[in-house]
Amino acid sequence: MLPPEQWGKWRQVLGEAEYGLWAATRTIDGLRSGPTAATQLVLVNMGPVALHIRDIEVNWLIRGTFYWYRPGVVEARGSWTLLDDRSFDVLMAMTRREGRRGFGMQGVIHKVVVHLDEPTPLELAFEVSWGFMTPSADMGFFLPALEDAKDRR
C-alpha cells in the first residue's frame, strides 16, 4: 500500500477523443495548497497513431516568449510527462539564461503551448504557475484549469 503522502488523484485539464492533458495532485499537496495544485502534467495519447511534439512555447504574460525545443513522440496509447519537478529545474535554467529572474517566481502565470506536428498540426494551450514546495521538497505548480476540472482517479 502507498504511504498517505502519495495518495492523490488525476484530473483532466484538456482533452479530445485522440489526446488528453492530465494533472496529478497528491492529496497532501491539494490540502495544503488548494485545488489547483499539481506536481505532474502528462500528455496521454488515446488515439491509434503517434503524436509528434515539435516544441513547447512558454509565454510570459508580461515579458515575452521563448521556445523549449523538446521534441518527442507519444506512441499510440502512450504518455509523455510535460511538467514535473525535473522540468522545473530545466525551465529555471532556461529563464536565467534568457536574463530573467526565474520561472514562476512571485506567482506569475505563464501561458504554455505544446505544438504537435503529426498526425495533424495542433496546439495544446494551458496556463501554469509554479509556486509551492511539497513535503518531499519537490516543486509544485498551479494549473488554474483544475478549479473546474472533474475529479478522476
Side-chain angles (χ1 to χ4, degrees):
M1 184 168 174
L2 289 173
E5 65 273 6
Q6 295 298 317
W7 295 350
K9 58 182 122 184
W10 285 91
R11 298 187 286 181
Q12 191 167 14
V13 177
L14 292 173
E16 296 292 332
E18 302 292 316
Y19 68 86
L21 284 179
W22 289 78
T25 302
R26 291 181 288 206
T27 303
I28 193 166
D29 297 329
L31 292 172
R32 291 176 67 199
S33 301
T36 65
T39 52
Q40 188 175 24
L41 184 68
V42 175
L43 172 61
V44 178
N45 182 355
M46 298 175 284
V49 298
L51 298 174
H52 293 255
I53 299 165
R54 184 182 73 221
D55 61 29
I56 299 173
E57 176 183 340
V58 181
N59 182 357
W60 257 252
L61 296 181
I62 58 173
R63 291 195 181 151
T65 301
F66 74 87
Y67 290 87
W68 183 9
Y69 294 100
R70 190 175 170 202
V73 176
V74 186
E75 297 297 335
R77 310 285 185 241
S79 64
W80 193 66
T81 299
L82 293 172
L83 296 174
D84 62 3
D85 57 324
R86 281 182 237 137
S87 57
F88 172 74
D89 293 337
V90 171
L91 286 167
M92 286 295 287
M94 290 176 72
T95 57
R96 288 187 186 119
R97 192 172 55 230
E98 294 277 323
R100 298 182 178 127
R101 184 162 179 243
F103 182 80
M105 302 292 281
Q106 301 168 338
V108 174
I109 294 179
H110 310 280
K111 182 177 180 186
V112 178
V113 182
V114 179
H115 296 274
L116 302 177
D117 282 340
E118 294 178 32
T120 58
L122 185 63
E123 294 181 348
L124 309 178
F126 57 94
E127 290 184 339
V128 63
S129 176
W130 296 90
F132 68 92
M133 185 77 71
T134 70
S136 57
D138 294 331
M139 195 66 179
F141 52 91
F142 298 105
L143 292 165
L146 288 180
E147 264 183 331
D148 299 325
K150 293 179 183 176
D151 290 351
R152 309 277 180 161
R153 290 197 186 267

